[in-house]
Amino acid sequence: MADVYLIYRVLPSRADVDYEVLKNSIKKALEPKYTVTKIEEEEIGFGIKALKVHVKMPESSEEHSSDEIEQILSSVENVGNIELEYFTRVGL
């Protein structure tokens, strides 16, 4: 069975957010249902960063969806904007 690999670009809701706390909150909200493979920081400017959240989920499952991932991310405190940047199918 194949998996789907997604990368979300997450912007904080405010400039003075603690990025380590935000990363931990995102990971805690998504796991164990979804696998967070890594979270990278991307400098935007003026001290603001975007987070690149790499998520893996089973391809053929009614229990998993990219819409649900976006809903979960939206519910995390200090998350402002969410954008799906990349997705692909991996595996056999």
Side-chain angles (χ1 to χ4, degrees):
M1 181 165 82
D3 288 327
V4 177
Y5 192 81
L6 308 106
I7 301 175
Y8 288 91
R9 185 172 193 243
V10 177
L11 294 171
S13 60
R14 54 183 226 271
D16 63 342
V17 69
D18 183 333
Y19 288 94
E20 290 305 314
V21 171
L22 183 56
K23 286 193 260 185
N24 289 333
S25 297
I26 288 170
K27 190 169 183 170
K28 186 177 179 181
L30 290 172
E31 291 183 339
K33 188 170 186 177
Y34 297 97
T35 304
V36 177
T37 58
K38 67 180 170 179
I39 301 176
E40 303 172 301
E41 293 182 9
E42 174 188 39
E43 292 287 334
I44 295 176
F46 305 106
I48 300 172
K49 301 174 188 174
L51 298 178
K52 301 280 186 143
V53 181
H54 298 247
V55 181
K56 187 170 75 169
M57 69 178 190
E59 177 185 42
S60 59
S61 173
E62 294 178 13
E63 297 176 17
H64 299 83
S65 74
S66 59
D67 290 338
E68 182 182 39
I69 293 172
E70 290 179 22
Q71 290 173 353
I72 292 169
L73 289 172
S74 295
S75 70
V76 174
E77 186 177 357
N78 295 320
V79 167
N81 188 29
I82 302 159
E83 177 184 346
L84 177 60
E85 283 197 332
Y86 178 81
F87 70 95
T88 190
R89 183 176 184 257
V90 292
L92 297 174

